[in-house]
Amino acid sequence: MTALMFFLMPSKTTLYNAAMQPVVDLPAGYFVMQSDVDAPSGYIAVAYDDISGYVRADEVQEVDYIPMTKYETTVRFYCDNDGQPVNLRSAPNKTADVLTVLEPTGSGRCYGSISGDAIISGAGDLWYYVKTETVSGYCYSAHVRVDPIPPNIIEKEEPVITPPVIDEQPEEPNETPQAMSTTTAIIFSVALCIPVPFIMYFLFRKPKDE
């Protein structure tokens, strides 16, 4: 079994797909896990929670431990388009296929952002890579509101220590003292009784008249 290998992202790190196109900029301070997929020279094949791709080897740092918090999973997006539905597209540009139309109250998970088309003048070119219950895609930043990314508190995952198996031997039954033989008992009783007459004699004998 191959040991798990994690890489820290000290700054925002771009995740690329198999065509080496940028998918999303992952948040700084979190980790990617190396996968067994072959990667082009200068790249590492990785997984980030439930998405996978490639990162540049010079943008991440290998660590010799398993981090307790590996991925950011709490940041959510919320549709915020003046009460209008929001298009979820297959790529961060205005001509990409619309995968689904989100309700004005729609929400879901946000993995990070990426630059794309500027749909609204003055609103910038930022898009968010998000996931609803059924589909993942891109929402234009001016049409959604996103939670701030919390900093990762980097802690090592404690190793699981398996207690040693103790081979318990069955307890030996208590040994019952052997019963005294009949002959031994008689001898012991006689030995105890012999001095009694002598003791009685010396205690109660009459002194001789002088």
Side-chain angles (χ1 to χ4, degrees):
M1 182 177 178
T2 305
L4 298 179
M5 187 175 295
F6 287 88
F7 292 82
L8 171 67
M9 298 180 288
S11 58
K12 280 187 178 182
T13 301
T14 303
L15 181 73
Y16 297 87
N17 60 20
M20 291 295 110
Q21 297 173 332
V23 176
V24 61
D25 287 340
L26 298 174
Y30 290 88
F31 297 81
V32 288
M33 183 180 70
Q34 187 172 19
S35 67
D36 295 331
V37 178
D38 292 334
S41 177
Y43 290 82
I44 302 171
V46 298
Y48 180 80
D49 200 8
D50 58 352
I51 59 177
S52 59
Y54 304 87
V55 296
R56 291 180 57 92
D58 58 1
E59 292 185 349
V60 294
Q61 299 173 358
E62 181 182 345
V63 297
D64 60 356
Y65 57 87
I66 298 177
M68 185 173 295
T69 304
K70 306 166 182 61
Y71 321 112
E72 204 303 302
T73 60
T74 64
V75 172
R76 296 183 62 80
F77 80 94
Y78 308 88
C79 293
D80 188 13
N81 191 27
D82 295 327
Q84 300 299 313
V86 174
N87 290 328
L88 184 68
R89 296 182 180 272
S90 60
N93 57 69
K94 58 186 177 183
T95 60
D97 294 338
V98 176
L99 302 176
T100 188
V101 178
L102 303 177
E103 297 293 332
T105 57
S107 65
R109 178 180 176 180
C110 180
Y111 293 91
S113 59
I114 198 76
S115 295
D117 287 350
I119 294 180
I120 302 173
S121 178
D125 62 356
L126 195 66
W127 292 69
Y128 290 107
Y129 184 64
V130 302
K131 180 181 180 181
T132 66
E133 292 183 358
T134 57
V135 64
S136 300
Y138 297 87
C139 289
Y140 185 52
S141 60
H143 296 157
V144 295
R145 173 173 51 87
V146 175
D147 292 333
I149 300 173
N152 189 14
I153 299 174
I154 299 176
E155 296 177 331
K156 299 179 183 179
E157 193 172 273
E158 294 296 331
V160 178
I161 301 175
T162 304
V165 177
I166 301 175
D167 185 13
E168 296 184 354
Q169 297 294 330
E171 294 184 359
E172 295 292 337
N174 294 330
E175 294 185 0
T176 304
Q178 295 182 350
M180 187 181 297
S181 68
T182 304
T183 303
T184 304
I186 292 173
I187 294 173
F188 183 71
S189 299
V190 171
L192 289 176
C193 294
I194 287 176
V196 174
F198 290 99
I199 296 172
M200 297 297 292
Y201 172 77
F202 284 108
L203 287 176
F204 297 102
R205 71 185 178 88
K206 292 181 179 180
K208 294 182 180 181
D209 295 334
E210 294 182 357

